[in-house]
Amino acid sequence: QEGGIPSALSATLNLIDLAGSERQKETESSGSRFEEARKINSSLSSLGRVIKALTERGSGAHSHIPYRDSKLTHILKDFPGGNAKCV
């Protein structure tokens, strides 16, 4: 620090592709593609629960934010509810 000002800054950039939410019955996928689609849908559902809990936190309804429900929400835990900019 120089005069109370930090001399170094750090940043984190996470690029997440959220495409792929599909209805498995309509795509007729199987095997590894089916498992991948299932995991994507599960992660997107977890992300929806986190966003819902964050929006309800102001009203006092939720005290726990379920960041650990999926790898996606665990990775993003600093962004939607923390000191971050989401674009």
Side-chain angles (χ1 to χ4, degrees):
Q1 287 191 343
E2 299 173 12
I5 300 172
S7 59
L9 297 174
S10 65
T12 301
L13 174 66
N14 287 310
L15 301 174
I16 310 284
D17 179 9
L18 296 177
S21 176
E22 302 166 338
R23 298 182 189 268
Q24 282 101 5
K25 288 183 182 180
E26 292 176 9
T27 61
E28 299 179 8
S29 60
S30 61
S32 62
R33 283 192 172 250
F34 177 79
E35 283 301 311
E36 181 181 3
R38 189 181 64 76
K39 289 178 183 178
I40 289 170
N41 287 340
S42 176
S43 289
L44 290 175
S45 294
S46 295
L47 182 59
R49 286 190 297 275
V50 167
I51 291 170
K52 183 177 183 208
L54 286 170
T55 59
E56 293 175 350
R57 183 169 59 174
S59 65
H62 274 279
S63 60
H64 171 72
I65 310 298
Y67 289 117
R68 292 189 176 189
D69 284 358
S70 75
K71 288 181 183 179
L72 174 67
T73 55
H74 188 69
I75 289 169
L76 296 176
K77 70 178 180 259
D78 294 330
F79 297 95
N83 184 20
K85 182 177 181 180
C86 296
V87 183

